[in-house]
Amino acid sequence: MAATATYTVLTITAYVVAHLPPFGPGPVEPVGLVLVVVGGLGALAVCSSKVRARHRARRVRAAADTTRQTVLRPLPPVWAGLEQAAVHTAADETARIGGDFYDIQPSPHGTRLVLGDVQGKGLDAVACAAALVGSFREAAAHERDLVDVAVRMDQRPRRHQEYVHALGGDENERFATAVLVQFPPVTATDRHATTVELVDCGHLTPLAVTPDRIRPLAGESALPLGMFELTGARPVGRSLSPAADETLLLYSDGVAEARDDNGEFHPLREDLAAALREDPGLAEPRRLVAHVRSAAARHAGGRLADDTTVLAVRRASTR
């Protein structure tokens, strides 16, 4: 802005000086001077508009980043006995967040984690995701049973819908697929406890990844969150015993449903197995999530059409 103002003043001054002796015959032509002044003022107006637009864009980006960090709060690389890494890419680059959510919550009963995907897109899905992740943080910190955490979360979409309707909004019935995992607390007498519990609410099957093996952690799948009342049945938890070197990989359908130009889905397990054969160190959580995300993007031609979230965790080393 200052540079444009300086340029405008110098342009007007140069025009006047060029028409006065000894540089010009003089006098200054009024019409020409008016045109130079109007042109300079127009440049200032355009520059001012661009500066205001840039400031508005920065404020919008700051607001989007704040919303993102509220729903998808930053997590320490090692926390509550787990080594973890996560990446999230929103389909809406402006909003920087979508209907995917994840979190890790320590509790007296172990370390709980969740990864979920709210049905639908847009700000309504973001609002529902925020409600669900808030419900998880509270329930996971206090409920003794991981299944009860899922039941508490199942109630949240209906309460959120009632709230939106009370405000006069038009919120349709919404649900979310999710997978919840619980690592037991590490005690002084058992510092190598590896048994974990998994509750699957209609979500994609997590994978256990080692440098030389990938295996699905399939179990009994319940209805998505927000739909338990259709059958009245509670979800069922499954006990798993991952090996000490296994990394649990959770992901959203932005990974599994990434399509290439021929409409073929991303072959996650095949791609990951080939990558691990070339580089066994890829099983480390930070590198694993980066590879899965970038491989899905490459398969889709560089543009992921859906929200994409990848979370990898493993028991932190006690050595």
Side-chain angles (χ1 to χ4, degrees):
M1 185 70 181
T4 303
T6 301
Y7 177 79
T8 299
V9 172
L10 290 176
T11 300
I12 296 172
T13 302
Y15 180 85
V16 172
V17 171
H19 284 77
L20 293 177
F23 303 103
V28 176
E29 297 180 5
V31 175
L33 179 61
V34 169
L35 290 176
V36 171
V37 172
V38 170
L41 294 177
L44 282 172
V46 171
C47 182
S48 176
S49 177
K50 291 181 65 176
V51 169
R52 288 196 300 270
R54 193 176 299 117
H55 287 330
R56 285 196 298 269
R58 280 201 291 264
R59 288 195 295 268
V60 169
R61 178 60 62 91
D65 287 341
T66 300
T67 301
R68 176 190 173 105
Q69 292 183 15
T70 299
V71 179
L72 304 178
R73 60 180 177 177
L75 298 172
V78 179
W79 193 36
L82 298 182
E83 180 183 354
Q84 69 81 30
V87 293
H88 169 78
T89 303
D92 186 341
E93 296 180 357
T94 301
R96 296 175 61 80
I97 190 171
D100 286 1
F101 61 93
Y102 65 88
D103 199 47
I104 297 176
Q105 179 63 53
S107 84
H109 315 295
T111 302
R112 278 84 180 261
L113 60 98
V114 66
L115 188 144
D117 182 1
V118 174
Q119 165 260 335
K121 299 180 184 293
L123 294 179
D124 290 339
V126 174
C128 187
L132 279 167
V133 78
S135 176
F136 168 78
R137 289 167 185 164
E138 185 66 19
H142 298 288
E143 294 288 351
R144 180 179 296 275
D145 192 334
L146 186 64
V147 170
D148 289 331
V149 176
V151 171
R152 288 272 297 273
M153 293 180 68
D154 170 74
Q155 300 166 359
R156 195 64 182 90
R158 292 190 293 276
R159 299 205 313 271
H160 176 70
Q161 181 185 20
E162 292 171 357
Y163 165 75
V164 174
H165 286 172
L167 290 176
D170 184 18
E171 169 74 351
N172 296 324
E173 291 186 7
R174 200 175 293 273
F175 63 86
T177 64
V179 59
L180 293 84
V181 180
Q182 173 178 289
F183 285 78
V186 176
T187 65
T189 58
D190 184 11
R191 300 192 61 80
H192 300 282
T194 58
T195 301
V196 303
E197 183 179 3
L198 184 146
V199 175
D200 183 357
C201 301
H203 198 73
L204 298 166
T205 301
L207 301 175
V209 179
T210 65
D212 56 5
R213 182 179 65 173
I214 301 172
R215 64 185 181 97
L217 300 177
E220 183 174 346
S221 179
L223 290 174
L225 301 174
M227 301 180 69
F228 289 2
E229 67 177 4
L230 295 180
T231 62
R234 288 166 56 90
V236 177
R238 179 192 177 198
S239 294
L240 306 168
S241 297
D245 62 342
E246 281 187 316
T247 298
L248 271 58
L249 177 67
L250 289 68
Y251 54 95
S252 68
D253 58 11
V255 173
E257 297 182 3
R259 297 173 182 258
D260 61 14
D261 292 338
N262 297 320
E264 298 292 332
F265 290 117
H266 173 51
L268 171 61
R269 291 180 61 181
E270 292 81 356
D271 170 85
L272 191 53
L276 286 166
R277 284 194 295 269
E278 294 184 5
D279 182 5
L282 205 62
E284 186 267 326
R286 179 181 56 83
R287 297 186 60 200
L288 182 59
V289 299
H291 173 81
V292 171
R293 192 269 174 204
S294 61
R298 283 196 304 270
H299 183 80
R303 180 69 174 90
L304 294 168
D306 200 357
D307 300 328
T308 302
T309 304
V310 189
L311 172 66
V313 297
R314 67 184 179 189
R315 180 71 83 178
S317 174
T318 57
R319 290 177 298 177

